[in-house]
Amino acid sequence: MEQKETTTVSVPQDLAAPAVVIAVDGPSGSGKSSVSRAVAARLGLAYLDTGAMYRAATVWCTRRGTDLSDVAAVAADVASMPLEMGVDPEGPGVVLDGQDVAEEIRTTAVSATVSKVATNLEVRAELKRRQREAIDAERTGGFSGGRGVLAEGRDITTVVAPDADVRILLTASEEARLRRRALDVHGAADASAVEATRDQVLRRDRDDSTVSQFEVAADGVVTVDSSDLDLEQTVDAVLAVVAKVTGTRTAPAPSS
Ligand SMILES: Nc1ncnc2c1ncn2[C@@H]1O[C@H](COP(=O)(O)OP(=O)(O)OP(=O)(O)O)[C@@H](O)[C@H]1O
Ligand SMILES: Nc1ccn([C@H]2C[C@H](O)[C@@H](COP(=O)(O)O)O2)c(=O)n1
């Protein structure tokens, strides 16, 4: 009797698994960007920095000479903003009208004015639409090849992706956040450097929290407090939450 040849194809668990979506929110200086980039890189996920989109919108409106308090004019500018967001966690580019603005969006001038744009409800609706589109692209392909995406900001766990597989609120004490930002901006964390950072951290959070809820975890959102952790410990704490919720779906990405 003729023997039939059979071939067994083994598919690695992490490739066979459905895409994972991780949402991270938190106040300024809590470590969202640094921690999220590291976590996304470790898991082979795309990384979406939604704060960078609000910052790019601020640069766009400012370049066009638009008064940032003119709600309708700002909304019209943002509706036609030619923005391409890179989602590689090792180097997420921000390209505005064909020009790399990754550095420009981090200037003190942008940090000082971005809340005017971020509290514009029409702008929020437009950027939410673009953010959902970017997340959906990663569910089936995109940069991650369908592994998934980590998106971070202020309203990702509650508004943009309330259906995310993992939802985390990353917090840190006011003191820790001021110290971190002072070190970033002034290279020191003495009293005067901390004082000079208050506007960028506390006033901005106060303004931003009028339109988003990122100070207290919503139902089903896990809080990770990084006040007494260093960066690597915080990355590990977030990875532990992700592993607990998703199990083998988020095995580390194969190293290249
Ligand atoms: N757990 C930590 N311990 C010490 N420093 C940290 C920790 N997490 C982040 N940092 C540092 O704090 C600074 C601010 O972090 P990061 O920019 O990631 O915060 P953020 O929450 O994204 O802030 P923002 O919303 O204002 O952009 C960075 O220099 C980062 O390296
Ligand atoms: N989902 C988001 C992301 C950001 N913002 C606002 C809050 C900040 O003032 C600004 C820049 O964010 P950062 O780069 O500092 O994280 O954008 C928001 O309202 N919603």
Side-chain angles (χ1 to χ4, degrees), residues 83-228:
L83 176 66
E84 290 162 57
M85 290 297 298
V87 292
D88 178 351
E90 308 283 1
V94 184
V95 176
L96 181 62
D97 201 18
Q99 190 195 346
D100 182 350
V101 292
E103 276 188 24
E104 188 178 350
I105 62 169
R106 305 284 163 205
T107 56
T108 306
V110 174
S111 296
T113 49
V114 61
S115 296
K116 286 188 183 164
V117 175
T119 51
N120 180 318
L121 297 183
E122 285 184 60
V123 168
R124 299 197 72 76
E126 169 63 15
L127 293 193
K128 176 177 82 175
R129 187 188 65 73
R130 295 190 193 200
Q131 289 156 11
R132 284 185 172 171
E133 230 171 62
I135 291 170
D136 282 344
E138 297 299 331
R139 289 186 206 268
T140 49
F143 167 84
S144 70
R147 284 180 71 91
V149 58
L150 187 160
E152 56 100 348
R154 303 291 191 288
D155 61 347
I156 312 303
T157 61
T158 53
V159 176
V160 176
D163 59 344
D165 302 282
V166 188
R167 295 188 298 150
I168 293 173
L169 182 75
L170 186 58
T171 62
S173 65
E174 205 170 282
E175 189 202 354
R177 294 187 292 113
L178 283 169
R179 194 177 58 241
R180 289 172 190 171
R181 189 52 80 216
L183 275 172
D184 261 354
V185 178
H186 305 288
D190 54 63
S192 74
V194 165
E195 201 47 45
T197 312
R198 279 184 181 274
D199 179 75
Q200 267 200 44
V201 176
L202 304 185
R203 192 269 312 152
R204 197 148 64 92
D205 279 349
R206 214 168 33 244
D207 291 352
D208 294 332
S209 65
T210 59
V211 289
S212 312
Q213 213 290 86
F214 53 82
E215 274 155 351
V216 178
D219 276 357
V221 175
V222 179
T223 300
V224 173
D225 186 341
S226 73
S227 308
D228 299 320

